[in-house]
Short mmCIF file of all heavy atoms in Angstrom, two decimals:
data_model
loop_
_atom_site.label_atom_id
_atom_site.label_comp_id
_atom_site.label_asym_id
_atom_site.label_seq_id
_atom_site.Cartn_x
_atom_site.Cartn_y
_atom_site.Cartn_z
N ASN A 1 0.82 -1.21 -0.04
CA ASN A 1 0.02 -0.02 0.00
C ASN A 1 0.85 1.28 0.04
O ASN A 1 0.58 2.23 -0.79
CB ASN A 1 -0.94 0.02 1.23
CG ASN A 1 -2.07 -1.00 1.07
OD1 ASN A 1 -2.36 -1.46 -0.04
ND2 ASN A 1 -2.65 -1.38 2.17
N ARG A 2 1.94 1.27 0.81
CA ARG A 2 2.79 2.44 0.85
C ARG A 2 3.52 2.72 -0.41
O ARG A 2 3.59 3.80 -0.92
CB ARG A 2 3.78 2.32 2.04
CG ARG A 2 4.63 3.59 2.29
CD ARG A 2 5.56 3.43 3.41
NE ARG A 2 6.63 2.44 3.22
CZ ARG A 2 6.74 1.25 3.79
NH1 ARG A 2 5.92 0.89 4.79
NH2 ARG A 2 7.63 0.42 3.55
N ARG A 3 3.98 1.61 -1.08
CA ARG A 3 4.76 1.79 -2.35
C ARG A 3 3.85 1.88 -3.57
O ARG A 3 4.34 2.20 -4.66
CB ARG A 3 5.74 0.65 -2.46
CG ARG A 3 6.81 0.64 -1.40
CD ARG A 3 7.82 -0.45 -1.52
NE ARG A 3 8.83 -0.33 -0.57
CZ ARG A 3 9.64 -1.31 -0.20
NH1 ARG A 3 9.63 -2.42 -0.89
NH2 ARG A 3 10.53 -1.12 0.77
N GLU A 4 2.62 1.50 -3.37
CA GLU A 4 1.62 1.55 -4.53
C GLU A 4 2.07 0.77 -5.70
O GLU A 4 1.84 1.17 -6.89
CB GLU A 4 1.28 3.01 -4.86
CG GLU A 4 0.68 3.71 -3.68
CD GLU A 4 0.30 5.17 -4.07
OE1 GLU A 4 0.94 5.77 -5.00
OE2 GLU A 4 -0.63 5.79 -3.41
N GLU A 5 2.74 -0.36 -5.49
CA GLU A 5 3.09 -1.30 -6.58
C GLU A 5 3.45 -2.60 -5.99
O GLU A 5 3.67 -2.78 -4.82
CB GLU A 5 4.27 -0.73 -7.36
CG GLU A 5 5.56 -0.65 -6.57
CD GLU A 5 6.74 -0.06 -7.35
OE1 GLU A 5 6.53 0.45 -8.41
OE2 GLU A 5 7.86 -0.13 -6.84
N GLY A 6 3.42 -3.64 -6.88
CA GLY A 6 3.66 -5.03 -6.45
C GLY A 6 2.44 -5.71 -5.86
O GLY A 6 1.39 -5.18 -5.96
N ASN A 7 2.72 -6.81 -5.26
CA ASN A 7 1.65 -7.67 -4.52
C ASN A 7 2.12 -7.96 -3.16
O ASN A 7 3.33 -8.36 -3.08
CB ASN A 7 1.35 -8.88 -5.42
CG ASN A 7 0.78 -8.61 -6.71
OD1 ASN A 7 -0.20 -7.91 -6.86
ND2 ASN A 7 1.46 -8.96 -7.75
N PRO A 8 1.24 -8.00 -2.16
CA PRO A 8 1.67 -8.44 -0.89
C PRO A 8 2.23 -9.88 -0.97
O PRO A 8 1.61 -10.82 -1.44
CB PRO A 8 0.34 -8.44 -0.07
CG PRO A 8 -0.55 -7.51 -0.80
CD PRO A 8 -0.13 -7.62 -2.29
N THR A 9 3.49 -9.98 -0.45
CA THR A 9 4.17 -11.25 -0.62
C THR A 9 4.94 -11.55 0.63
O THR A 9 5.60 -10.63 1.27
CB THR A 9 5.19 -11.03 -1.81
OG1 THR A 9 4.47 -10.65 -3.00
CG2 THR A 9 6.01 -12.36 -2.10
N VAL A 10 4.91 -12.74 1.07
CA VAL A 10 5.76 -13.24 2.21
C VAL A 10 6.79 -14.18 1.75
O VAL A 10 6.43 -15.20 1.13
CB VAL A 10 4.84 -13.83 3.31
CG1 VAL A 10 5.77 -14.45 4.42
CG2 VAL A 10 3.91 -12.90 3.89
N THR A 11 8.08 -13.83 1.94
CA THR A 11 9.16 -14.72 1.52
C THR A 11 9.61 -15.43 2.86
O THR A 11 9.81 -14.75 3.94
CB THR A 11 10.34 -13.97 0.94
OG1 THR A 11 9.91 -13.08 -0.14
CG2 THR A 11 11.38 -14.84 0.43
N ILE A 12 9.76 -16.75 2.71
CA ILE A 12 10.08 -17.52 3.89
C ILE A 12 11.53 -17.98 3.78
O ILE A 12 12.03 -18.45 2.80
CB ILE A 12 9.16 -18.79 3.89
CG1 ILE A 12 7.69 -18.30 3.91
CG2 ILE A 12 9.44 -19.69 5.05
CD1 ILE A 12 6.69 -19.38 3.65
N PHE A 13 12.25 -17.87 4.93
CA PHE A 13 13.62 -18.24 5.12
C PHE A 13 13.75 -19.19 6.25
O PHE A 13 12.84 -19.26 7.15
CB PHE A 13 14.46 -17.03 5.40
CG PHE A 13 14.54 -16.00 4.27
CD1 PHE A 13 13.51 -14.99 4.19
CD2 PHE A 13 15.48 -16.11 3.28
CE1 PHE A 13 13.58 -14.04 3.22
CE2 PHE A 13 15.50 -15.14 2.31
CZ PHE A 13 14.55 -14.17 2.17
N THR A 14 14.80 -19.99 6.19
CA THR A 14 15.20 -20.75 7.38
C THR A 14 16.50 -20.23 7.91
O THR A 14 17.30 -19.64 7.15
CB THR A 14 15.35 -22.29 7.10
OG1 THR A 14 16.35 -22.36 6.06
CG2 THR A 14 14.00 -22.93 6.67
N PHE A 15 16.74 -20.43 9.18
CA PHE A 15 17.84 -19.89 9.90
C PHE A 15 18.30 -20.81 11.00
O PHE A 15 17.46 -21.28 11.73
CB PHE A 15 17.56 -18.50 10.49
CG PHE A 15 18.68 -17.89 11.26
CD1 PHE A 15 19.79 -17.38 10.59
CD2 PHE A 15 18.59 -17.87 12.64
CE1 PHE A 15 20.83 -16.86 11.42
CE2 PHE A 15 19.64 -17.30 13.47
CZ PHE A 15 20.76 -16.82 12.77
N ASP A 16 19.57 -21.21 10.96
CA ASP A 16 20.06 -22.13 12.05
C ASP A 16 20.43 -21.27 13.20
O ASP A 16 21.37 -20.43 13.22
CB ASP A 16 21.28 -22.86 11.48
CG ASP A 16 21.83 -23.86 12.46
OD1 ASP A 16 21.43 -23.81 13.61
OD2 ASP A 16 22.71 -24.62 12.08
N LYS A 17 19.66 -21.48 14.33
CA LYS A 17 19.90 -20.72 15.56
C LYS A 17 21.30 -20.79 16.03
O LYS A 17 21.79 -19.84 16.73
CB LYS A 17 18.95 -21.12 16.65
CG LYS A 17 17.58 -20.62 16.29
CD LYS A 17 16.64 -20.67 17.52
CE LYS A 17 16.62 -22.08 18.29
NZ LYS A 17 15.45 -22.03 19.28
N ASN A 18 22.04 -21.86 15.77
CA ASN A 18 23.37 -22.02 16.15
C ASN A 18 24.35 -20.92 15.52
O ASN A 18 25.38 -20.63 16.12
CB ASN A 18 23.86 -23.41 15.84
CG ASN A 18 23.17 -24.49 16.56
OD1 ASN A 18 22.81 -24.42 17.79
ND2 ASN A 18 22.93 -25.56 15.91
N GLU A 19 23.89 -20.35 14.48
CA GLU A 19 24.63 -19.32 13.76
C GLU A 19 24.68 -18.03 14.70
O GLU A 19 25.61 -17.21 14.56
CB GLU A 19 23.95 -18.90 12.45
CG GLU A 19 24.14 -19.96 11.38
CD GLU A 19 25.58 -19.96 10.81
OE1 GLU A 19 26.27 -18.99 10.76
OE2 GLU A 19 26.03 -21.13 10.63
N LEU A 20 23.81 -17.94 15.63
CA LEU A 20 23.85 -16.70 16.48
C LEU A 20 25.11 -16.72 17.33
O LEU A 20 25.54 -15.57 17.76
CB LEU A 20 22.60 -16.70 17.44
CG LEU A 20 21.26 -16.59 16.73
CD1 LEU A 20 20.10 -16.66 17.71
CD2 LEU A 20 21.18 -15.19 16.09
N GLU A 21 25.74 -17.80 17.53
CA GLU A 21 26.93 -17.90 18.38
C GLU A 21 28.14 -17.24 17.62
O GLU A 21 29.00 -16.67 18.28
CB GLU A 21 27.31 -19.37 18.61
CG GLU A 21 26.29 -20.08 19.51
CD GLU A 21 26.54 -21.54 19.68
OE1 GLU A 21 27.66 -22.02 19.20
OE2 GLU A 21 25.66 -22.16 20.15
N ARG A 22 28.10 -17.13 16.29
CA ARG A 22 29.19 -16.47 15.64
C ARG A 22 28.84 -15.04 15.23
O ARG A 22 29.65 -14.35 14.70
CB ARG A 22 29.61 -17.27 14.28
CG ARG A 22 28.55 -17.15 13.22
CD ARG A 22 29.03 -17.93 12.00
NE ARG A 22 28.12 -17.70 10.91
CZ ARG A 22 28.09 -16.76 10.05
NH1 ARG A 22 29.09 -15.75 10.15
NH2 ARG A 22 27.22 -16.55 9.17
N LEU A 23 27.68 -14.56 15.66
CA LEU A 23 27.24 -13.17 15.33
C LEU A 23 27.17 -12.29 16.57
O LEU A 23 26.96 -12.83 17.60
CB LEU A 23 25.92 -13.20 14.60
CG LEU A 23 25.88 -14.03 13.31
CD1 LEU A 23 24.36 -14.17 12.86
CD2 LEU A 23 26.61 -13.31 12.18
N ASN A 24 27.28 -11.05 16.41
CA ASN A 24 27.18 -10.11 17.41
C ASN A 24 25.71 -9.76 17.50
O ASN A 24 25.17 -9.09 16.69
CB ASN A 24 28.03 -8.86 17.16
CG ASN A 24 27.93 -7.89 18.30
OD1 ASN A 24 27.50 -8.17 19.41
ND2 ASN A 24 28.54 -6.65 18.14
N VAL A 25 24.95 -10.22 18.57
CA VAL A 25 23.53 -10.15 18.70
C VAL A 25 23.18 -9.40 19.92
O VAL A 25 23.63 -9.47 21.01
CB VAL A 25 22.88 -11.70 18.82
CG1 VAL A 25 21.46 -11.55 18.96
CG2 VAL A 25 23.35 -12.50 17.69
N LEU A 26 22.11 -8.46 19.71
CA LEU A 26 21.45 -7.79 20.72
C LEU A 26 20.00 -8.27 20.69
O LEU A 26 19.39 -8.32 19.75
CB LEU A 26 21.46 -6.17 20.41
CG LEU A 26 20.64 -5.30 21.39
CD1 LEU A 26 21.28 -5.40 22.77
CD2 LEU A 26 20.60 -3.91 20.89
N SER A 27 19.59 -8.72 21.96
CA SER A 27 18.27 -9.30 22.14
C SER A 27 17.54 -8.75 23.23
O SER A 27 18.07 -8.57 24.37
CB SER A 27 18.47 -10.81 22.29
OG SER A 27 17.21 -11.44 22.35
N PHE A 28 16.33 -8.30 22.94
CA PHE A 28 15.42 -7.78 23.99
C PHE A 28 14.29 -8.76 24.17
O PHE A 28 13.55 -9.24 23.28
CB PHE A 28 14.80 -6.44 23.50
CG PHE A 28 15.72 -5.41 23.16
CD1 PHE A 28 16.18 -5.18 21.90
CD2 PHE A 28 16.32 -4.59 24.20
CE1 PHE A 28 17.13 -4.11 21.66
CE2 PHE A 28 17.23 -3.66 23.93
CZ PHE A 28 17.62 -3.45 22.64
N GLU A 29 14.15 -9.23 25.53
CA GLU A 29 13.06 -10.25 25.80
C GLU A 29 11.73 -9.61 25.78
O GLU A 29 10.71 -10.24 25.53
CB GLU A 29 13.37 -10.83 27.20
CG GLU A 29 14.58 -11.65 27.34
CD GLU A 29 14.49 -12.88 26.41
OE1 GLU A 29 13.51 -13.51 26.45
OE2 GLU A 29 15.59 -13.13 25.73
N CYS A 30 11.65 -8.27 26.18
CA CYS A 30 10.36 -7.65 26.15
C CYS A 30 10.55 -6.14 25.88
O CYS A 30 11.61 -5.67 25.79
CB CYS A 30 9.62 -7.86 27.56
SG CYS A 30 10.63 -7.17 28.93
N ALA A 31 9.48 -5.45 25.87
CA ALA A 31 9.59 -3.92 25.63
C ALA A 31 9.93 -3.23 26.98
O ALA A 31 9.12 -2.74 27.67
CB ALA A 31 8.17 -3.44 25.19
N ASN A 32 11.21 -3.30 27.31
CA ASN A 32 11.68 -2.84 28.56
C ASN A 32 12.39 -1.44 28.33
O ASN A 32 12.40 -1.02 27.25
CB ASN A 32 12.66 -3.86 29.27
CG ASN A 32 13.84 -4.19 28.41
OD1 ASN A 32 14.14 -3.47 27.47
ND2 ASN A 32 14.40 -5.40 28.63
N ARG A 33 13.00 -0.93 29.36
CA ARG A 33 13.64 0.38 29.31
C ARG A 33 14.73 0.38 28.28
O ARG A 33 14.85 1.34 27.42
CB ARG A 33 14.29 0.65 30.71
CG ARG A 33 14.68 2.03 30.93
CD ARG A 33 15.11 2.28 32.43
NE ARG A 33 14.11 1.84 33.38
CZ ARG A 33 13.10 2.49 33.66
NH1 ARG A 33 12.82 3.61 33.10
NH2 ARG A 33 12.18 2.01 34.57
N GLU A 34 15.57 -0.67 28.14
CA GLU A 34 16.68 -0.66 27.17
C GLU A 34 16.12 -0.73 25.73
O GLU A 34 16.65 -0.07 24.86
CB GLU A 34 17.53 -1.93 27.39
CG GLU A 34 18.40 -1.82 28.70
CD GLU A 34 17.59 -2.01 29.95
OE1 GLU A 34 16.57 -2.75 29.97
OE2 GLU A 34 18.09 -1.46 31.08
N TRP A 35 15.07 -1.56 25.53
CA TRP A 35 14.38 -1.61 24.22
C TRP A 35 13.87 -0.21 23.83
O TRP A 35 14.11 0.21 22.69
CB TRP A 35 13.25 -2.60 24.33
CG TRP A 35 12.38 -2.75 23.05
CD1 TRP A 35 12.65 -3.49 21.95
CD2 TRP A 35 11.17 -2.09 22.88
NE1 TRP A 35 11.63 -3.31 21.07
CE2 TRP A 35 10.72 -2.45 21.58
CE3 TRP A 35 10.29 -1.26 23.61
CZ2 TRP A 35 9.54 -1.99 21.02
CZ3 TRP A 35 9.16 -0.75 23.04
CH2 TRP A 35 8.76 -1.17 21.79
N LEU A 36 13.17 0.40 24.68
CA LEU A 36 12.63 1.75 24.52
C LEU A 36 13.66 2.71 24.14
O LEU A 36 13.60 3.50 23.16
CB LEU A 36 11.76 2.28 25.68
CG LEU A 36 11.13 3.63 25.52
CD1 LEU A 36 10.17 3.60 24.38
CD2 LEU A 36 10.44 4.02 26.84
N ARG A 37 14.80 2.70 24.82
CA ARG A 37 15.94 3.57 24.49
C ARG A 37 16.53 3.34 23.10
O ARG A 37 16.87 4.20 22.44
CB ARG A 37 16.93 3.55 25.63
CG ARG A 37 16.51 4.19 26.94
CD ARG A 37 17.49 3.91 28.03
NE ARG A 37 17.00 4.49 29.26
CZ ARG A 37 17.50 4.25 30.50
NH1 ARG A 37 18.63 3.49 30.57
NH2 ARG A 37 17.00 4.79 31.58
N TYR A 38 16.69 2.06 22.83
CA TYR A 38 17.26 1.68 21.60
C TYR A 38 16.45 2.13 20.41
O TYR A 38 16.85 2.62 19.50
CB TYR A 38 17.48 0.13 21.60
CG TYR A 38 18.29 -0.37 20.32
CD1 TYR A 38 19.68 -0.18 20.29
CD2 TYR A 38 17.60 -0.95 19.33
CE1 TYR A 38 20.37 -0.58 19.19
CE2 TYR A 38 18.34 -1.32 18.21
CZ TYR A 38 19.69 -1.20 18.10
OH TYR A 38 20.40 -1.60 17.00
N ILE A 39 15.11 1.67 20.49
CA ILE A 39 14.22 2.16 19.39
C ILE A 39 14.02 3.69 19.29
O ILE A 39 13.91 4.12 18.23
CB ILE A 39 12.91 1.40 19.34
CG1 ILE A 39 11.96 1.80 20.42
CG2 ILE A 39 13.01 -0.09 19.32
CD1 ILE A 39 10.55 1.42 20.23
N SER A 40 14.09 4.31 20.45
CA SER A 40 13.99 5.83 20.41
C SER A 40 15.19 6.36 19.65
O SER A 40 14.99 7.34 18.86
CB SER A 40 13.89 6.34 21.83
OG SER A 40 12.78 5.92 22.44
N ALA A 41 16.30 5.84 19.95
CA ALA A 41 17.58 6.36 19.20
C ALA A 41 17.44 6.11 17.73
O ALA A 41 17.64 7.01 17.00
CB ALA A 41 18.79 5.70 19.78
N ASN A 42 16.92 4.96 17.35
CA ASN A 42 16.88 4.62 15.93
C ASN A 42 15.66 5.45 15.18
O ASN A 42 15.76 5.75 14.05
CB ASN A 42 16.63 3.17 15.71
CG ASN A 42 17.93 2.39 15.82
OD1 ASN A 42 18.87 2.63 15.21
ND2 ASN A 42 17.89 1.44 16.79
N ARG A 43 14.62 5.69 15.99
CA ARG A 43 13.50 6.42 15.35
C ARG A 43 13.74 7.97 15.36
O ARG A 43 12.88 8.64 14.75
CB ARG A 43 12.27 6.15 16.12
CG ARG A 43 11.75 4.64 15.77
CD ARG A 43 10.34 4.34 16.26
NE ARG A 43 9.77 3.24 15.60
CZ ARG A 43 9.11 3.32 14.54
NH1 ARG A 43 8.80 4.41 14.01
NH2 ARG A 43 8.54 2.23 14.02
N THR A 44 14.73 8.47 15.95
CA THR A 44 14.96 9.91 16.01
C THR A 44 16.27 10.32 15.31
O THR A 44 16.49 11.52 15.10
CB THR A 44 14.96 10.39 17.46
OG1 THR A 44 15.96 9.75 18.20
CG2 THR A 44 13.56 10.26 18.13
N ASP A 45 17.03 9.41 14.99
CA ASP A 45 18.41 9.74 14.48
C ASP A 45 18.81 8.81 13.35
O ASP A 45 19.11 7.68 13.54
CB ASP A 45 19.43 9.63 15.54
CG ASP A 45 20.90 10.11 15.12
OD1 ASP A 45 21.05 10.48 13.98
OD2 ASP A 45 21.76 10.00 15.98
N LYS A 46 18.76 9.33 12.07
CA LYS A 46 19.16 8.55 10.92
C LYS A 46 20.60 8.03 10.98
O LYS A 46 20.98 7.12 10.29
CB LYS A 46 18.96 9.26 9.55
CG LYS A 46 17.49 9.39 9.16
CD LYS A 46 17.31 10.04 7.85
CE LYS A 46 15.89 10.09 7.50
NZ LYS A 46 15.69 10.78 6.26
N THR A 47 21.39 8.76 11.75
CA THR A 47 22.79 8.42 11.83
C THR A 47 23.10 7.45 13.02
O THR A 47 24.35 7.12 13.22
CB THR A 47 23.68 9.60 12.02
OG1 THR A 47 23.37 10.31 13.18
CG2 THR A 47 23.45 10.60 10.83
N ALA A 48 22.06 7.03 13.65
CA ALA A 48 22.37 6.07 14.84
C ALA A 48 23.06 4.82 14.24
O ALA A 48 22.62 4.21 13.30
CB ALA A 48 20.99 5.68 15.43
#
């Protein structure tokens, strides 16, 4: 709807959770204080 072109499409991927061990991961369990601060930084600063 926003782009006014194409068709609503869901692409499905698989991911091996063991790969998370080799990646630098930030994980939020819930919408807590740290989550709010992180999304606030991203939603207010394009250079975050």
Side-chain angles (χ1 to χ4, degrees):
N1 289 340
R2 188 178 65 247
R3 294 182 179 163
E4 298 180 335
E5 64 182 11
N7 296 302
T9 306
V10 173
T11 307
I12 303 168
F13 296 89
T14 57
F15 176 73
D16 182 350
K17 289 196 305 189
N18 296 319
E19 289 289 322
L20 292 174
E21 294 172 14
R22 71 175 185 88
L23 300 170
N24 186 9
V25 179
L26 175 63
S27 183
F28 299 99
E29 294 297 316
C30 63
N32 59 22
R33 191 174 311 280
E34 290 74 25
W35 175 85
L36 180 62
R37 290 175 182 167
Y38 187 79
I39 68 165
S40 295
N42 283 302
R43 286 188 163 271
T44 57
D45 184 2
K46 284 186 182 180
T47 63

